[in-house]
């Protein structure tokens, strides 16, 4: 459902949170509002970079941050949670997960060399038995804008994002 009235967004603190909630609904799951606390839908949300980086928050993440944070924090968290699906929102989260699993999957170097457009078009990458990575464009304004630059979408870059999440649901439900 496109946002026609930004009053709908207020409960979710940002337009991005609102859009993420709508996308998760494509999976048949429900996310509670951030103000309502924890979700009982079986969805676990986390940042892909789980440590501090040098510089300003808006500065790019150095390669060392991906290596250190992925190895020491992200991969152990994934192994603890054992999700059926990992959905990465945008290039940074996708890069972080791919770097985390690079030593186990040297072929990820070839995947990365194809560029992130090719990675996002793959729709599913098996990280290990029973754990599949689904890289998708970020639901925020920048992710929608970048998608419009790469491939035709609806007027706001939203329509193909909804289709991505429908494909994830099909994959999960097998």
């Amino acid at each position: 459902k496109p946002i026609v009235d930004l009053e709908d967004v207020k409960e979710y603190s940002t337009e991005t949170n609102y859009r993420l909630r709508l996308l998760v609904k494509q999976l048949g799951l429900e996310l509670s509002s951030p103000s309502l606390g924890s979700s009982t839908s079986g969805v676990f949300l986390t940042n892909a970079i789980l440590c501090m980086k040098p510089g300003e928050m808006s500065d790019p993440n150095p390669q060392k941050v991906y290596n250190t944070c992925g190895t020491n924090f992200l991969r152990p968290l994934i192994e603890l949670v054992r999700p059926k699906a990992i959905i990465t929102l945008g290039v940074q989260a996708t890069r972080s997960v791919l770097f985390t699993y690079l030593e186990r999957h040297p072929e990820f170097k070839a995947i990365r060399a194809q560029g992130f457009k090719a990675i996002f078009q793959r729709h599913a990458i098996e990280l290990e038995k029973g754990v599949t990575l689904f890289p998708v464009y970020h639901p925020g304004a920048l992710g929608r804008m970048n998608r419009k630059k790469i491939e035709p979408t609806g007027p706001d870059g939203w329509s193909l994002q909804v289709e991505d999440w429908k494909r994830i649901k099909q994959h999960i439900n097998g």
Side-chain angles (χ1 to χ4, degrees):
K1 154 186 159 188
I3 297 174
V4 292
D5 181 359
L6 290 181
E7 288 295 313
D8 292 343
V9 175
K10 286 183 181 174
E11 179 184 356
Y12 301 98
S13 74
T14 67
E15 186 176 344
T16 299
N17 287 343
Y18 178 78
R19 288 182 185 275
L20 179 59
R21 180 176 168 263
L22 293 178
L23 291 167
V24 169
K25 275 188 174 185
Q26 298 299 316
L27 302 176
L29 300 171
E30 189 73 35
L31 288 181
S32 61
S33 163
S35 63
L36 297 177
S38 65
S39 171
T40 59
S41 66
V43 175
F44 177 79
L45 301 173
T46 185
N47 287 321
I49 304 286
L50 297 169
C51 58
M52 298 300 291
K53 67 178 180 179
E56 300 294 322
M57 289 305 296
S58 60
D59 289 348
N61 291 306
Q63 181 66 45
K64 183 178 180 182
V65 170
Y66 289 108
N67 296 343
T68 302
C69 295
T71 302
N72 294 321
F73 300 106
L74 183 59
R75 189 168 63 202
L77 180 62
I78 291 169
E79 290 170 353
L80 178 68
V81 175
R82 291 290 306 155
K84 184 174 185 178
I86 296 172
I87 302 168
T88 51
L89 306 177
V91 170
Q92 299 302 328
T94 302
R95 179 179 288 146
S96 185
V97 172
L98 288 178
F99 282 129
T100 298
Y101 283 86
L102 195 58
E103 70 183 38
R104 292 183 186 176
H105 298 280
E107 70 274 13
F108 286 173
K109 285 184 182 177
I111 292 172
R112 281 192 5 241
Q114 297 169 17
F116 282 93
K117 177 182 176 186
I119 290 171
F120 288 124
Q121 290 174 338
R122 286 181 64 124
H123 303 299
I125 301 169
E126 187 171 9
L127 295 177
E128 56 188 49
K129 187 167 177 59
V131 180
T132 304
L133 169 66
F134 297 95
V136 297
Y137 288 84
H138 196 282
L142 186 59
R144 292 189 322 276
M145 184 179 3
N146 286 338
R147 184 146 199 188
K148 284 196 297 189
K149 292 176 188 173
I150 292 172
E151 54 193 322
T153 66
D156 67 353
W158 178 249
S159 59
L160 285 179
Q161 285 186 321
V162 171
E163 293 305 313
D164 289 341
W165 287 68
K166 286 179 182 177
R167 279 192 292 277
I168 293 168
K169 181 178 182 178
Q170 289 172 343
H171 187 89
I172 290 171
N173 294 336

